[in-house]
Amino acid sequence: GQQVMQIPQYQHVQEGEDFTTYCNSSTTLSNIQWYKQRPGGHPVFLIQLVKSGEVKKQKRLTFQFGEAKKNSSLHITATQTTDVGTYFCAGPNYGGATNKLIFGTGTLLAVQP
Amino acid sequence: DAGITQSPRHKVTETGTPVTLRCHQTENHRYMYWYRQDPGHGLRLIHYSYGVKDTDKGEVSDGYSVSRSKTEDFLLTLESATSSQTSVYFCAISGGDSNQPQHFGDGTRLSIL
């Protein structure tokens, strides 16, 4: 079945360092969504990418959607302690009903002050 | 945050007992979802609903049933709870299909002894 993989599973950085997480799908995606979950919290929608090669920025966060629409990345410049949490990518289910999202396993980011 | 309320927030129960979790929304969204979250597995879809009395299975539906008799309420039932169902359960809502972002409730932490 369709799989969405994320790497790394865990990343520990010093505050001020950059961070990148990668998302890879086994199938082409119509769109990719990114969510953030703070420790003890619930996932919160960050952004959606739709177009091939699309790049979007939210302050220090840069999101990219691959040309083949099978991979995506999230890059954080100069991390802060407020960036701590797990980052999930998610893509629509392929070949079945269109109303389901498949979530990646997530990347846990730890930021040391 | 979207108007989503999960109840209870925490529950401890014994193996073999029935358990029902409730998700209530005030957004009048058509789609509602139940996920479980376990370490190393990310978010896995249990069941979802695309309208009143319209439900479908997700990837980990065994041992779970759902009901949606009103737009605002989506119930998840464990008919006979097992220790493997110890998890954090999240409800999510969406105004559209998998091309639309999902908004999550605060979660229910369920422990089955």
Side-chain angles (χ1 to χ4, degrees):
Chain A
Q2 179 185 2
Q3 291 187 335
V4 178
M5 305 299 293
Q6 278 185 258
I7 55 171
Q9 287 189 325
Y10 173 78
Q11 183 84 56
H12 177 262
V13 299
Q14 296 285 330
E15 190 172 22
E17 294 181 338
D18 292 356
F19 160 77
T20 304
T21 175
Y22 300 91
C23 177
N24 294 287
S25 170
S26 57
T27 58
T28 302
L29 302 171
S30 61
N31 72 86
I32 189 90
Q33 299 175 22
W34 284 93
Y35 293 77
K36 176 184 178 181
Q37 183 177 21
R38 296 183 184 274
H42 59 271
V44 174
F45 172 76
L46 293 177
I47 206 163
Q48 180 183 49
L49 304 172
V50 178
K51 299 177 183 177
S52 171
E54 187 171 15
V55 177
K56 286 188 175 180
K57 293 189 176 184
Q58 288 180 349
K59 296 183 180 179
R60 294 176 295 102
L61 278 61
T62 301
F63 303 84
Q64 288 188 307
F65 200 9
E67 294 290 340
K69 301 184 78 172
K70 295 182 70 174
N71 57 74
S72 182
S73 65
L74 158 60
H75 179 81
I76 302 178
T77 302
T79 55
Q80 299 176 359
T81 55
T82 53
D83 296 324
V84 165
T86 300
Y87 293 85
F88 293 98
C89 63
N93 175 258
Y94 178 79
T98 62
N99 16 31
K100 292 186 287 188
L101 279 177
I102 304 297
F103 281 82
T105 48
T107 296
L108 174 60
L109 173 63
V111 180
Q112 184 165 356
Chain B
D1 281 348
I4 309 168
T5 304
Q6 289 187 234
S7 59
R9 293 294 315 282
H10 304 271
K11 187 173 181 66
V12 180
T13 190
E14 295 184 346
T15 299
T17 59
V19 177
T20 295
L21 308 183
R22 180 182 183 234
C23 179
H24 178 79
Q25 60 141 333
T26 59
E27 305 296 320
N28 200 35
H29 280 347
R30 179 182 176 190
Y31 291 90
M32 298 185 75
Y33 308 82
W34 277 108
Y35 293 90
R36 61 178 289 174
Q37 185 173 39
D38 306 287
H41 290 278
L43 289 158
R44 292 185 292 175
L45 182 65
I46 305 172
H47 282 280
Y48 68 102
S49 170
Y50 46 97
V52 174
K53 297 186 180 179
D54 291 324
T55 64
D56 203 354
K57 297 179 179 179
E59 60 182 308
V60 290
S61 59
D62 288 348
Y64 302 94
S65 62
V66 290
S67 66
R68 192 169 178 199
S69 58
K70 298 184 291 185
T71 298
E72 57 266 34
D73 290 325
F74 192 32
L75 303 181
L76 176 71
T77 297
L78 292 65
E79 299 291 347
S80 179
T82 68
S83 58
S84 65
Q85 294 174 312
T86 292
S87 187
V88 179
Y89 291 85
F90 286 102
C91 173
I93 65 173
S94 170
D97 62 13
S98 56
N99 292 314
Q100 300 299 316
Q102 294 184 9
H103 302 281
F104 287 78
D106 290 335
T108 294
R109 186 171 295 277
L110 177 63
S111 297
I112 301 165
L113 308 177

